[in-house]
Amino acid sequence: MPVIGQQTFVLAPTSDKYLSLTNEEFVRKLDLTGFGNNWSRIRIAMNCSLANTGGGSIGPRFVLFVGLCSGTAFPFQSQQCVNAVGYVWGDPSGAQSGTGWTANAGNPYYTSAGLGYYGIRKVGQGTQTATIGSATWAFMATGGTLERRGWLCADIGQTSTTGTQRGNTFNSAVASSDVWYEHSVYAANQGGVPMILESLAPNNTQTQTFGGGWNTNPLDTVNIFWGCPNYDLRIYALTVCFTP
Amino acid sequence: MPVIYSRNFATGTQQYLALGPSDYTRTLSIGTNWSRIRIGILAAMSTVSENAWSIRQCSWALGVCNGASSTGSVQAPTHAFGWASSLPSSVSPGNWTYNAGTAGNSYFSGGWNFYRYAAGTATTAATGSITPTLPSNTTLGGAIARRGILILDINKSAMISGNITQGIMCGAVGHMSLDLTTNDLYAALESPTGATIQGTAMLMLALGNSLAFNEVTNGILDTVFVYWSHATVPFQLYEIGIFRVG
C-alpha cells in the first residue's frame, strides 16, 4: 500500500512530504467538468526521486509508467485495463530491465544505460508500443551531499485516430541541484520540451495510430505505476497541465 | 484563477490582476459596433524566481473574440483576432528573453504573430519587424518598480465582413528603465501614429498582415481578452484601455 513519508531539503518546501510507491500504482480522476475530451495534450509532471541503492542499478523490475487511464477501476496494471496511454521507462513486458548508476561526486542519480523506453497504450493485457530515437535519461536518487528532488513528465497528445507520447526527464547536467517545488511547476507549465533549471530536458516522442474510436473510453484519470518492489519511487508533487 | 494584488510605484500604489494560465475577458458595451479599435495594456512580467532567466515556452495573447467562449484558453475558438507571442494552442511556444537592461532595470523581449481563429482553425500572419518588450517586476540590483505598455490596433475594412489588418505599438528599450503610467497609456492609445512617451518614441508596427473575417459566419467580435499561460511566472496586468478609433 502506498505510504506517505517526509524528507528534509534546503530549498522550499524544506520539509516535504512524499507518496512512496513500491510495485503499485497511483490513480486520480481529473475533474474535466466543462472540458470533457476537448484537449489536445495533457502533461503529467512529477517532482520525484528514487530510493538510493547505495551504489548500483535499480533492477530488474524497473518499470515506470506515467500516463492517463480511463476511470480508476482498471488502470495500467490491471488485466482488465480499459484504456491507458502514456510513456513507460523500463520494460512493461516484465523482462529484465535496470538502470545505470552515476555517483556524481556524492550526488548520485540513475542513468538510462540498459533501460528501455516506450510510448505505450494498454487495453486489457494487450499493449501497443513504439520506440524510435534515443534520449539520455536521468532519475534522481535520494541521499547525497545535498538532498535533491528530480523531475520527469509524460506528455500525452490525442487526435481522433492517433496518440502521441513524449517522455522527459531532467538533464544530468543539473543532477547536483534540487528541483524545488516552484521550479517543478514552472517546468510543467512550459509548453514544449521544458528547460529544467535552465538545462534542456532529455526527451523522446512516439506517435502511434490507434484508429477511429480509440479514445471512446476517455483518458480522464492520472495513472502512475512503479514496478520495483525493493526501492521506492517518491512523488513529492504532481502537476497536470492542459494544452487546449 | 486570476488574483488581484497591489504594488507600490513612485507615483503611488496600483492594483493589478495576476494572470496565471488564464484569461481576462470583457465584453464591450459597444458590441461589434466598431471598425477600428485599439486595445492597450499597462503591464509587467514576473521573473523566474528572481533569476536572470528567460521565461521559457509561454504564450501571451490579446485581442477580440466572439464572446467569452472564444478566448485564448479554449481549444478551438469560433472567432478571434489578435496578437500573440505564441498561439495559446501551441505545444511548442516561444520564449520571452531576459535582458539585463541598465541599473538593474531588466526586461523581457519576445516574438509575435498576428492571428485569426475562424471556426476553430488558426491562421497566423507575421510580416514586418518589431521586438516587443515589457519590464520585469524585479527591484533587485537597484531597479525601480516599472510598468510597460503594449497596444494592439485592429482595423476592419468593412463592418460585417472583409479583411482585418492589425498593428502594434510597444515600449522601446529606452522605456525599460522608466515607469510608464496610466496617463502614458491613454496618451499612447489616442496617438494617431507612433507616440512619444516620456521623451522616447514608442516602437510601432503599422497596420498590415491582412486576414479575412466574417462576423455573420463565425460570430461577432465583441469581447476583449488577454491570455497568459504560465502559473509560476504570472503576468501583471495593471490597466486595460479600449479606444474606439472608428
Side-chain angles (χ1 to χ4, degrees):
Chain A
M1 187 179 72
V3 297
I4 305 290
Q6 192 160 318
Q7 197 174 339
T8 301
F9 296 92
V10 173
L11 297 173
T14 55
S15 183
D16 203 2
K17 288 185 177 175
Y18 60 84
L19 180 70
S20 170
L21 294 182
T22 49
N23 192 24
E24 53 204 347
E25 61 192 315
F26 166 88
V27 289
R28 175 63 66 91
K29 190 163 186 177
L30 299 168
D31 181 1
L32 298 175
T33 306
F35 206 86
N37 212 24
N38 294 320
W39 51 269
S40 58
R41 196 194 68 182
I42 288 180
R43 167 170 289 179
I44 302 162
M46 291 202 299
N47 209 188
C48 61
S49 64
L50 297 172
N52 194 324
T53 62
S57 166
I58 287 185
R61 282 282 291 156
F62 190 109
V63 185
L64 174 58
F65 169 81
V66 181
L68 296 164
C69 63
S70 188
T72 57
F74 301 109
F76 178 75
Q77 193 60 1
S78 168
Q79 292 189 354
Q80 298 163 273
C81 176
V82 176
N83 189 16
V85 177
Y87 202 85
V88 66
W89 289 269
D91 195 327
S93 70
Q96 305 277 306
S97 188
T99 62
W101 162 272
T102 297
N104 194 31
N107 287 312
Y109 64 93
Y110 300 102
T111 71
S112 50
L115 190 69
Y117 43 87
Y118 311 87
I120 190 168
R121 181 187 183 216
K122 186 164 184 266
V123 179
Q125 297 183 63
T127 59
Q128 179 177 334
T129 60
T131 175
I132 299 171
S134 63
T136 304
W137 310 112
F139 305 92
M140 200 68 89
T142 61
T145 308
L146 178 74
E147 282 287 2
R148 296 145 299 135
R149 287 155 289 204
W151 193 93
L152 61 81
C153 82
D155 296 335
I156 296 99
Q158 66 168 358
T159 71
S160 59
T161 58
T162 66
T164 302
Q165 307 91 40
R166 180 166 66 200
N168 309 259
T169 69
F170 71 93
N171 193 309
S172 61
V174 295
S176 298
S177 302
D178 176 21
V179 184
W180 76 100
Y181 176 71
E182 183 185 357
H183 203 87
S184 172
V185 178
Y186 171 58
N189 214 194
Q190 294 177 35
V193 175
M195 297 284 279
I196 316 296
L197 302 176
E198 287 297 276
S199 189
L200 188 68
N203 63 92
N204 176 255
T205 303
Q206 307 296 334
T207 298
Q208 302 186 73
T209 300
F210 299 135
W214 74 275
N215 55 0
T216 300
N217 291 315
L219 299 168
D220 58 5
T221 302
V222 171
N223 190 179
I224 296 159
F225 170 70
W226 171 239
C228 180
N230 301 323
Y231 298 100
D232 67 327
L233 167 70
R234 297 182 178 186
I235 303 172
Y236 304 97
L238 199 56
T239 308
V240 179
C241 293
F242 293 82
T243 298
Chain B
M1 186 179 71
V3 180
I4 294 174
Y5 297 96
S6 66
R7 191 169 174 221
N8 296 325
F9 294 91
T11 53
T13 300
Q14 188 173 21
Q15 290 187 317
Y16 66 92
L17 191 66
L19 286 178
S22 52
D23 293 297
Y24 165 88
T25 61
R26 177 62 64 93
T27 299
L28 299 172
S29 61
I30 57 172
T32 190
N33 188 24
W34 57 271
S35 60
R36 183 178 178 184
I37 58 170
R38 292 197 187 115
I39 306 166
I41 59 172
L42 192 65
M45 288 180 170
S46 302
T47 59
V48 182
S49 303
E50 289 284 17
N51 285 300
W53 292 349
S54 299
I55 302 173
R56 301 292 181 183
Q57 301 187 66
C58 69
S59 173
W60 168 27
L62 73 158
V64 290
C65 60
N66 174 229
S69 60
S70 272
T71 61
S73 63
V74 303
Q75 184 181 32
T78 56
H79 208 193
F81 275 78
W83 171 93
S85 59
S86 291
L87 279 182
S89 59
S90 172
V91 294
S92 187
N95 301 328
W96 277 85
T97 303
Y98 178 89
N99 302 272
T102 57
N105 292 306
S106 58
Y107 64 96
F108 294 96
S109 56
W112 58 276
N113 281 293
F114 295 113
Y115 74 94
R116 170 191 67 197
Y117 265 100
T121 300
T123 305
T124 59
T127 301
S129 178
I130 190 169
T131 302
T133 54
L134 266 190
S136 77
N137 71 338
T138 188
T139 53
L140 295 178
I144 62 168
R146 292 153 297 139
R147 294 156 289 192
I149 289 173
L150 190 135
I151 293 171
L152 173 63
D153 200 343
I154 304 176
N155 183 58
K156 297 177 186 173
S157 64
M159 286 300 286
I160 303 300
S161 67
N163 291 300
I164 282 181
T165 50
Q166 300 182 80
I168 54 173
M169 187 192 300
C170 68
V173 170
H175 287 111
M176 294 300 107
S177 56
L178 304 172
D179 176 32
L180 306 187
T181 65
T182 300
N183 285 341
D184 293 326
L185 172 64
Y186 294 164
L189 269 173
E190 294 176 0
S191 176
T193 57
T196 295
I197 301 296
Q198 296 195 23
T200 299
M202 302 280 283
L203 300 180
M204 186 167 178
L205 182 64
L207 290 173
N209 287 288
S210 178
L211 293 166
F213 81 106
N214 190 321
E215 292 183 281
V216 174
T217 305
N218 298 310
I220 61 174
L221 298 166
D222 64 347
T223 300
V224 169
F225 70 91
V226 181
Y227 170 76
W228 177 256
S229 70
H230 259 296
T232 53
V233 194
F235 188 80
Q236 299 187 349
L237 182 61
Y238 291 93
E239 197 86 59
I240 183 163
I242 316 295
F243 179 52
R244 180 166 62 175
V245 181

